[in-house]
């Protein structure tokens, strides 16, 4: 892997990491949703600096090129993050439903009380 | 466990309910054309009722408020499942012994309510008002394709639970407090009718099906639209199977 590429990837990772941390600091991103992203940028950064383990691992697993291995791993990682988001959305939907129902019930009770 | 009490309404030893023990829940999403006539039919039959306005964008809410119809207003659209569950929670809060889910679009006939209540009185926990138990009673039998879909879901439910319910998508149904408590805790969200039957059966509740009169809808649109019906069938089939695989209590 050429040195220029490794430097470029390293810089992108650092910027991405700082951006993520900045979003958390501004409370635009909750820490628990940022952890996977933070882990991802640190791992990629480490691999850009020390790529040898990746080459070794990918050839040990029978990949033709290290890039195939990285793409596949990255793809699964993104799927995992996506699934965790779907779970979070489902949970939030359930909470919104519960709250909406509660508001409707309270509104009705308030109406009934003011009529009396 | 499943009993068809439609031809056998003779009162048994069990409780008799008065009309004021029964709450009719009318979920309504953009039903401004039909809501008033539906509610007035229910009220003149002597039942308490509550309209669940499911975030309608038309005048459904204003119409109800104008003429003092009890209405629960959901500020955002939750879909039929969330709306009906609100009704169950209201019924539980106010101590009703029986609640009846009744469409706002004029599809269901008030004259069938006593048959549903009678079935609750003879021991059922959840009663499904059915177009198919006694076909002569219902003018509205639905289209061939839709009937095929209902048959399929009915077969899946039979397979998963061992019980045969024919009109699994019927939104005309009665619950006693056992079923109300169960559905307050959890009620399926998008297309809840077939799933909730399985949920009740898995919880060990007694589900009955009685003949009910149904008409063509007066206004509004079916919650099951034609173009999304394949998606509907797929989703309900999967959810019924998943629901069926969970161990009953």
């Amino acid at each position: 892997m050429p040195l220029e590429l490794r430097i470029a990837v390293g810089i992108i990772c650092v910027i991405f990491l700082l951006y993520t941390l900045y979003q958390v600091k501004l409370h635009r991103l909750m820490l628990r949703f940022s952890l996977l992203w933070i882990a991802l940028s640190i791992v990629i950064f480490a691999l850009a600096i020390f790529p040898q383990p990746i080459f070794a691992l990918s050839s040990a697993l029978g990949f033709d090129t290290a890039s195939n291995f990285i793409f596949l791993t990255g793809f699964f990682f993104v799927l995992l993050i996506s699934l965790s988001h779907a779970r979070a959305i489902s949970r939030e939907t359930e909470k919104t439903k519960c709250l909406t129902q509660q508001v409707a019930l309270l509104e009705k009770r308030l109406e009934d009380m003011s009529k009396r | 466990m499943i009993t068809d009490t439609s031809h056998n309404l003779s009162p048994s030893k069990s409780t008799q309910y008065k009309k004021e023990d029964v709450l009719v829940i009318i979920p309504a999403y953009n039903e401004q054309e039909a809501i008033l006539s539906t509610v007035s039919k229910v009220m003149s039959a002597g039942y308490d009722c509550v309209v669940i306005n499911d975030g309608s964008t038309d005048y459904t809410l204003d119409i109800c408020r104008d003429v003092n119809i009890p209405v629960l207003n959901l500020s955002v659209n939750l879909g039929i499942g969330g709306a009906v569950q609100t009704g169950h929670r209201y019924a539980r809060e106010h101590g009703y012994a029986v609640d009846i889910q009744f469409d706002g679009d004029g599809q269901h006939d008030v004259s069938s309510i006593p048959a549903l209540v009678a079935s609750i009185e003879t021991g059922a926990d959840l009663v499904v008002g059915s177009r198919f138990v006694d076909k002569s009673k219902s003018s509205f039998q639905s289209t061939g394709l839709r009937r095929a879909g209902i048959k399929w879901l009915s077969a899946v439910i039979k397979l998963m639970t061992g019980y045969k319910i024919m009109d699994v998508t019927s939104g005309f149904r009665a619950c006693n407090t056992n079923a109300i408590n169960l559905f307050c805790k959890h009620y399926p969200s998008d297309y809840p009718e077939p799933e909730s039957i399985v949920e009740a059966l898995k919880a060990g509740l007694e589900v009955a099906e009685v003949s009910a009169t149904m008409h063509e809808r007066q206004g509004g649109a079916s919650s099951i639209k034609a173009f999304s019906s394949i998606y509907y069938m797929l989703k309900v089939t999967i959810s019924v199977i998943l629901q069926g695989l969970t161990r009953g209590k």
Side-chain angles (χ1 to χ4, degrees):
Chain A
M1 205 156 105
L3 186 67
E4 297 90 327
L5 184 61
R6 285 163 61 182
I7 292 173
V9 171
I11 290 173
I12 290 172
C13 282
V14 169
I15 292 174
F16 184 78
L17 181 63
L18 289 177
Y19 178 75
T20 310
L21 292 173
Y22 185 59
Q23 294 297 310
V24 174
K25 187 183 172 300
L26 289 181
H27 304 294
R28 284 192 205 142
L29 181 61
M30 287 168 81
L31 186 69
R32 65 186 166 113
F33 292 116
S34 70
L35 288 177
L36 276 171
W37 296 109
I38 291 172
L40 183 68
S41 52
I42 290 174
V43 167
I44 293 176
F45 182 76
L47 290 177
I49 308 275
F50 310 106
Q52 286 78 17
I54 273 293
F55 291 123
L57 191 62
S58 79
S59 61
L61 289 173
F63 285 92
D64 281 343
T65 61
S67 61
N68 275 352
F69 174 65
I70 291 172
F71 280 136
L72 190 71
T73 319
F75 178 68
F76 277 125
F77 203 77
V78 172
L79 277 187
L80 201 70
I81 293 179
S82 179
L83 185 65
S84 82
H85 288 169
R87 278 184 40 155
I89 292 171
S90 306
R91 225 175 19 238
E92 296 314 307
T93 307
E94 193 62 29
K95 286 180 191 169
T96 311
K97 184 185 87 176
C98 207
L99 286 174
T100 308
Q101 293 177 339
Q102 198 65 37
V103 169
L105 291 164
L106 286 174
E107 196 183 353
K108 177 79 173 66
R109 196 184 289 176
L110 207 63
E111 258 172 50
D112 293 345
M113 277 165 76
S114 61
K115 260 179 218 159
R116 253 182 253 140
Chain B
M1 200 175 205
I2 284 162
T3 44
D4 180 1
T5 49
S6 56
H7 310 292
N8 176 27
L9 295 179
S10 58
S12 71
K13 67 269 177 232
S14 31
T15 353
Q16 298 283 305
Y17 294 115
K18 295 190 213 72
K19 282 190 171 175
E20 54 265 34
D21 298 326
V22 178
L23 174 72
V24 177
I25 299 167
I26 306 174
Y29 174 65
N30 291 348
E31 298 284 8
Q32 59 182 10
E33 285 89 14
I35 192 70
L36 210 54
S37 75
T38 305
V39 171
S40 65
K41 275 176 204 153
V42 171
M43 282 177 142
S44 56
Y47 296 102
D48 285 356
C49 78
V50 63
V51 172
I52 322 288
N53 176 47
D54 190 13
S56 296
T57 51
D58 65 357
Y59 292 105
T60 305
L61 179 65
D62 309 67
I63 292 170
C64 292
R65 292 241 157 103
D66 276 353
V67 289
N68 268 325
I69 294 167
V71 57
L72 291 169
N73 182 40
L74 299 173
S75 37
V76 295
N77 179 267
L78 292 185
I80 180 72
V84 169
Q85 193 182 32
T86 315
H88 288 313
R89 289 176 70 176
Y90 183 80
R92 187 170 66 170
E93 243 184 55
H94 289 76
Y96 286 98
V98 178
D99 71 14
I100 312 253
Q101 182 190 336
F102 193 86
D103 273 9
D105 60 10
Q107 258 199 100
H108 301 152
D109 199 298
V110 180
S111 65
S112 297
I113 292 179
L116 267 70
V117 176
S119 179
I120 295 273
E121 283 168 350
T122 52
D125 296 303
L126 170 67
V127 183
V128 178
S130 173
R131 279 164 286 188
F132 308 134
V133 169
D134 176 6
K135 290 188 178 165
S136 60
K137 271 186 122 183
S138 241
S139 62
F140 178 55
Q141 289 285 320
S142 203
T143 60
L145 208 60
R146 187 163 289 177
R147 269 210 307 279
I150 293 171
K151 269 216 173 101
W152 162 255
L153 290 179
S154 174
V156 175
I157 290 178
K158 173 92 197 318
L159 184 75
M160 298 312 297
T161 65
Y163 298 111
K164 180 91 188 151
I165 306 284
M166 283 186 277
D167 202 352
V168 290
T169 61
S170 165
F172 191 9
R173 37 179 60 202
C175 294
N176 71 359
T177 47
N178 293 336
I180 291 172
N181 286 334
L182 176 72
F183 292 151
C184 280
K185 237 181 287 161
H186 179 263
Y187 198 66
S189 52
D190 295 342
Y191 307 103
E193 283 84 13
E195 262 183 87
S196 59
I197 291 174
V198 178
E199 198 170 318
L201 286 169
K202 284 284 163 183
L205 299 189
E206 191 153 327
V207 179
E209 189 173 20
V210 304
S211 177
T213 311
M214 294 196 202
H215 312 284
E216 208 96 44
R217 72 189 67 251
Q218 284 173 16
S222 169
S223 54
I224 307 166
K225 287 178 196 76
F227 66 87
S228 58
S229 55
I230 290 174
Y231 176 57
Y232 169 82
M233 295 299 298
L234 199 69
K235 235 178 75 163
V236 176
T237 303
I238 292 171
S239 70
V240 162
I241 290 171
L242 287 179
Q243 186 77 251
L245 288 175
T246 56
R247 279 263 198 81
K249 277 159 237 163

